[in-house]
Amino acid sequence: MRHFRNSIVAFLAFAVSSSFFLPVDTIHVRIFSHLKVNALTLGIYTGSYRLQCDGKSLPLFRQGLPLDIQYRNDSIDLMQDGNLLATARYVKLFGAPGSELKVKLNNPDRKMRNYQENLSFEIFESGIRVINEIELDNYIAGVTEAEAGSRSALEFYKIQSVLARTFALAHINKHVTEGFSLCDQVHCQAYFGRPRDMSIYKAIDLTKDQVVVDDNLNLIVAAFHSNSGGQTANSEDVWGSKTPYLRSIVDSFSMNMPNARWERKILVEDWLSYLKIKHRFPVEDAGSKKAALNFSQDTRKIYLEANNVRVPLKNVRVDFQLKSTFFDIRQITKDTILFSGHGYGHGLGMPQEGAMRMVKLGYNYKQVLKFYYQEVQLIDLHKLNFFKDE
């Protein structure tokens, strides 16, 4: 089993270093990746499962009694109705077509989630690493709800599903050296198992195999955020490198949406001390101090500047946990300044609230994607190699 998994890792490492695009039908996602998992309980929601421990088959796991999985003494104990079924280092449940498991984390304690298809469990750093092996479209459905929320418009689900598919395939080998494809956190894409809103599957079917590519037919980095505040950002202003399809545009659709505006009060003393200590900003100079206490952005800026000293606004955002870098500063009392902000997120690519507004106004998913990503096209992922070879 270990040799087989190592062979997969080696093959995928070759694929990611090669020029061809490798379509996938299934994907390996590490779930609960931000937690140290020590104990969980499984129950069959639908279908049936075949159980293997260290490569050896156990009796069929059926609906009824739950299966308890616990980490103990550098091994995994499988318990059912208080009885020890097996002790192993690698456990896998193979689901029949359409099968689905209920998963309840007990240590640490988390709410129950439903996961489709196969799950595997293995010893990892004094705990249990859990991998969901799932069809790509079922994974995309879960990501779409996790990233877009439930009860959204069908057209918006179509937008989010295309972006989720594009991102997943562009980063399919992000964790390949660790033995899986992607994790379930925003480091990759949020994924919490099967979605509750079944209309998402209709959006998946209506955008079957569609991805977004640039002029060179490369999958785009499908960046998105909550709200642009009225103007999106250039990639080089956020990530340091210029990307043709991530260009700053005026975005009226994000205005007057829930996350279009925000405010934050900060003490003058704290602000000036931060600038001086962390950025060596000349706060003793009257002109520089005035610039620091009265700063405005009619259009997005990259720095707060004075006397040839530049303070990156993206650093300010992180250090003060602000919603965006698109903000104005004014002194409202002797001791207090007010950050008046626009938008929520890094500002790159598609603002979700702007896209929702466009959908409400009657724009279709292709129009929305081509508005927020410049010089791109939608294409069937299975045709990419054909067109690249021409």
Side-chain angles (χ1 to χ4, degrees):
M1 181 66 70
R2 183 178 300 275
H3 174 74
F4 176 70
R5 291 202 298 273
N6 289 342
S7 296
I8 291 177
V9 170
F11 173 71
L12 290 177
F14 163 74
V16 75
S17 66
S18 303
S19 61
F20 69 88
F21 174 76
L22 183 64
V24 296
D25 295 319
T26 61
I27 188 168
H28 294 73
V29 185
R30 183 182 177 188
I31 60 176
F32 309 113
S33 59
H34 63 305
L35 301 171
K36 183 178 180 180
V37 177
N38 287 300
L40 59 150
T41 299
L42 308 179
I44 295 180
Y45 184 72
T46 58
S48 62
Y49 278 82
R50 181 167 53 89
L51 178 61
Q52 279 190 355
C53 295
D54 291 335
K56 297 180 180 179
S57 295
L58 268 69
L60 199 66
F61 177 38
R62 298 183 182 278
Q63 286 179 314
L65 294 176
L67 181 69
D68 294 313
I69 297 179
Q70 300 177 7
Y71 173 81
R72 187 174 65 87
N73 297 331
D74 205 31
S75 294
I76 298 172
D77 284 351
L78 277 71
M79 309 283 294
Q80 197 165 41
D81 196 26
N83 298 313
L84 180 65
L85 296 183
T87 297
R89 293 187 61 82
Y90 181 80
V91 177
K92 185 165 184 177
L93 285 93
F94 298 85
S99 294
E100 186 174 325
L101 287 168
K102 297 179 292 183
V103 180
K104 172 68 174 71
L105 251 61
N106 301 320
N107 183 10
D109 185 34
R110 292 295 186 273
K111 293 180 179 180
M112 185 178 293
R113 297 178 183 173
N114 282 26
Y115 289 93
Q116 298 162 289
E117 302 172 59
N118 303 339
L119 286 180
S120 64
F121 309 84
E122 60 185 325
I123 298 300
F124 181 75
E125 295 182 350
S126 300
I128 302 171
R129 182 165 70 177
V130 189
I131 307 292
N132 185 197
E133 182 182 342
I134 185 170
E135 288 185 13
L136 178 63
D137 281 351
N138 286 334
Y139 165 72
I140 297 304
V143 170
T144 296
E145 183 170 270
E147 296 284 5
S150 57
R151 300 181 181 178
S152 291
L154 176 64
E155 204 67 18
F156 183 68
Y157 281 148
K158 289 160 72 174
I159 295 167
Q160 200 71 58
S161 65
V162 171
L163 293 180
R165 184 182 297 111
T166 302
F167 185 96
L169 293 172
H171 298 84
I172 195 70
N173 296 307
K174 195 166 188 177
H175 291 282
V176 65
T177 58
E178 300 169 68
F180 56 96
S181 304
L182 299 167
C183 71
D184 63 349
Q185 298 300 297
V186 294
H187 170 259
C188 293
Q189 296 187 106
Y191 170 65
F192 308 133
R194 179 182 60 79
R196 291 166 292 178
D197 190 338
M198 292 298 100
S199 67
I200 289 176
Y201 288 100
K202 183 176 181 181
I204 301 293
D205 289 339
L206 291 172
T207 61
K208 183 72 174 176
D209 294 334
Q210 290 182 21
V211 291
V212 187
V213 296
D214 63 16
D215 276 348
N216 295 316
L217 297 181
N218 295 314
L219 296 169
I220 71 166
V221 177
F224 60 87
H225 57 286
S226 177
N227 189 298
S228 73
Q231 181 188 0
T232 64
N234 288 315
S235 60
E236 61 268 26
D237 298 340
V238 180
W239 290 340
S241 58
K242 186 173 181 178
T243 306
Y245 51 82
L246 294 177
R247 299 292 86 209
S248 176
I249 62 169
V250 175
D251 171 33
S252 61
F253 299 106
S254 286
M255 305 300 290
N256 302 316
M257 296 297 282
N259 286 310
R261 296 285 184 271
W262 55 269
E263 291 185 345
R264 170 84 179 276
K265 292 180 181 178
I266 296 175
L267 293 176
V268 170
E269 181 182 0
D270 291 345
W271 174 236
L272 294 179
S273 295
Y274 164 78
L275 293 175
K276 180 179 180 179
I277 294 171
K278 186 152 187 178
H279 299 283
R280 298 182 180 179
F281 194 84
V283 296
E284 294 85 359
D285 175 75
S288 299
K289 181 178 180 180
K290 182 178 179 181
L293 299 178
N294 296 276
F295 173 72
S296 63
Q297 298 186 67
D298 294 327
T299 58
R300 283 184 178 267
K301 295 180 180 179
I302 310 173
Y303 305 102
L304 166 65
E305 300 183 61
N307 281 349
N308 297 318
V309 176
R310 289 180 164 186
V311 178
L313 298 182
K314 62 182 181 181
N315 291 8
V316 175
R317 180 195 173 201
V318 171
D319 294 337
F320 283 90
Q321 297 183 337
L322 304 176
K323 290 186 175 181
S324 72
T325 61
F326 197 7
F327 54 77
D328 303 328
I329 303 173
R330 64 185 176 91
Q331 189 168 3
I332 55 175
T333 70
K334 178 182 177 182
D335 299 320
T336 310
I337 55 173
L338 179 69
F339 281 67
S340 299
H342 316 276
Y344 193 171
H346 50 56
L348 292 178
M350 186 194 77
Q352 291 173 305
E353 290 188 345
M356 290 177 186
R357 180 63 179 164
M358 290 186 72
V359 165
K360 191 172 183 179
L361 292 173
Y363 292 90
N364 65 43
Y365 75 102
K366 293 182 180 180
Q367 291 172 316
V368 174
L369 289 169
K370 290 185 177 182
F371 177 73
Y372 286 115
Y373 302 96
Q374 308 300 298
E375 300 178 6
V376 299
Q377 57 182 308
L378 274 72
I379 192 170
D380 185 314
L381 65 92
H382 294 287
K383 297 179 180 177
L384 279 180
N385 285 332
F386 172 79
F387 285 113
K388 282 189 172 186
D389 289 341
E390 283 191 331

